Amino acid sequence: MTSNSELQALLNLIEDPDEEVFQSITEKFIGFGQEIIPVLEDFQHTIQDKDQIKKIVFIIDKVSISILSNELLEWKNSEDQLTVEASLIIAKYLNREFNQESVFFELEKIRRSIWLELNDYLTPLEEVNIINKIIFGYYKFKGIETNYGQKNDFDICSLLDNKQSNTFPLAALYLLVAEMLGLNLKPVDVPRQNLICYFEEDPIYDEKGSGILFFIDPLNGQIYTHKDIENYLQKINYVPHPLKISPASTTKFIQKWLNELSKSEKEAGALHKQQELLLLIEKLDDF
């Protein structure tokens, strides 16, 4: 990272009232990456001045957001763009203490439980019914309404530990299990909803020309038909209507996840973190 004397000099400069000095040392700390966060947290415990503590918290936030941004942009540029990798990047942002090996162990248990009940003769609907039975019946996961005051509800690790979350970690669980098992579940962009879909490029099944056979609400496993979605769009007076709905990319799902997480940061009063997350969403579009 750097020598102890240089690091101590940077820490001492945090109390400097000059804004340019603060911006300069913040950039230095960001450059250190993950390793600097526990150093800053330890230093914070030695400080009594409230303004200086706020500065340290701000720097930690900037470092965390920088790590999140760099890793998600690298993920976006990867060949596979697996849901599990992006989910763990978000989890690390929300909870730096999570144990990745434990997460993979729990995910593998869920994958295996589903795999044991699958066979080559099941219809798509039967496959999803098995997933629902394992997730909500056997493992007792529970979907809860989005509460922007509960940031942990956006964390897939919290879902695995506490058996409940809002719609985004649950959707991620569906998608990453599908990736592990080779099932055709994809995100889908339905206005004001976070749904996933079963997708097949098969004209025998595909009456709407979109490849979507049906839709799934990850909050409770509810299955919706094309007609259900059309009725919903009419109910909310969505224009344009009718809307041709197609499967979305994993990146679009992650962007939607980050957008809702940014509202949680706003709820907590961390407007600088909200703005950084919104900027990251834009970068994921352009990258």
Side-chain angles (χ1 to χ4, degrees):
M1 188 159 54
T2 188
S3 68
N4 288 335
S5 59
E6 289 174 320
L7 180 57
Q8 189 60 52
L10 287 171
L11 292 171
N12 291 337
L13 281 172
I14 292 175
E15 64 181 344
D16 193 305
D18 189 293
E19 185 61 30
E20 289 188 7
V21 171
F22 181 67
Q23 290 179 4
S24 177
I25 63 171
T26 298
E27 291 301 318
K28 286 276 191 182
F29 285 124
I30 290 173
F32 294 142
Q34 186 73 41
E35 294 180 5
I36 197 61
I37 292 179
V39 176
L40 288 166
E41 289 175 334
D42 289 343
F43 184 65
Q44 179 184 344
H45 295 317
T46 69
I47 302 299
Q48 300 297 322
D49 184 83
K50 291 183 179 179
D51 290 335
Q52 197 170 347
I53 291 174
K54 287 181 180 178
K55 285 185 174 183
I56 297 170
V57 170
F58 179 83
I59 294 171
I60 292 172
D61 289 345
K62 293 287 284 187
V63 173
S64 297
I65 289 281
S66 175
I67 294 168
L68 174 71
S69 181
N70 290 338
E71 292 187 352
L72 279 180
L73 290 173
E74 184 178 344
W75 167 84
K76 172 66 167 58
N77 200 38
S78 66
E79 183 177 347
D80 295 325
Q81 296 180 14
L82 295 176
T83 305
V84 65
E85 294 175 358
S87 300
L88 292 179
I89 292 170
I90 294 173
K92 184 166 65 174
Y93 168 74
L94 292 169
N95 176 16
R96 293 189 300 275
E97 304 301 322
F98 86 96
N99 185 318
Q100 185 164 300
E101 289 186 6
S102 176
V103 171
F104 279 119
F105 177 76
E106 292 300 320
L107 292 176
E108 173 57 23
K109 285 199 304 184
I110 297 168
R111 182 207 68 82
R112 181 170 176 80
S113 296
I114 296 170
W115 174 78
L116 286 171
E117 298 207 25
L118 294 177
N119 64 64
D120 293 336
Y121 304 102
L122 297 174
T123 66
L125 184 58
E126 288 170 334
E127 290 177 348
V128 172
N129 283 338
I130 287 173
I131 295 174
N132 286 341
K133 183 179 74 171
I134 297 300
I135 289 178
F136 297 108
Y138 185 74
Y139 283 100
K140 307 296 183 184
F141 287 111
K142 178 184 178 183
I144 55 178
E145 293 300 321
T146 301
N147 179 355
Y148 296 112
Q150 296 292 330
K151 194 161 60 174
N152 283 343
D153 290 349
F154 289 90
D155 181 3
I156 194 170
C157 297
S158 179
L159 168 64
L160 295 174
D161 289 340
N162 303 317
K163 304 300 182 184
Q164 67 177 30
S165 79
N166 65 35
T167 180
F168 288 94
L170 276 165
L173 180 59
Y174 272 90
L175 293 171
L176 66 87
V177 164
E179 289 171 353
M180 296 166 78
L181 293 168
L183 303 178
N184 294 331
L185 297 185
K186 291 182 178 291
V188 63
D189 193 13
V190 175
R192 306 181 198 173
Q193 297 291 328
N194 180 45
L195 303 180
I196 55 181
C197 67
Y198 198 106
F199 175 81
E200 284 280 17
E201 293 181 352
D202 191 332
I204 295 175
Y205 293 106
D206 184 14
E207 62 183 40
K208 293 291 181 180
S210 65
I212 296 174
L213 304 188
F214 53 83
F215 305 83
I216 310 156
D217 185 348
L219 204 61
N220 51 26
Q222 178 70 44
I223 305 296
Y224 296 111
T225 65
H226 284 273
K227 185 62 175 177
D228 291 328
I229 300 302
E230 288 172 3
N231 290 339
Y232 161 74
L233 293 175
Q234 289 178 342
K235 184 176 180 180
I236 65 171
N237 295 318
Y238 187 79
V239 178
H241 181 79
L243 176 70
K244 181 178 178 181
I245 298 173
S246 300
S249 67
T250 307
T251 301
K252 290 297 182 186
F253 168 69
I254 297 301
Q255 287 175 303
K256 186 184 291 187
W257 193 347
L258 292 174
N259 185 65
E260 294 302 296
L261 180 55
S262 76
K263 296 176 185 178
S264 184
E265 296 292 11
K266 180 182 179 181
E267 182 77 12
L271 298 182
H272 60 291
K273 296 172 78 173
Q274 179 201 21
Q275 292 303 315
E276 293 280 3
L277 287 174
L278 294 177
L279 181 60
L280 172 55
I281 292 168
E282 293 181 7
K283 288 180 179 178
L284 288 170
D285 258 340
D286 297 334
F287 194 76

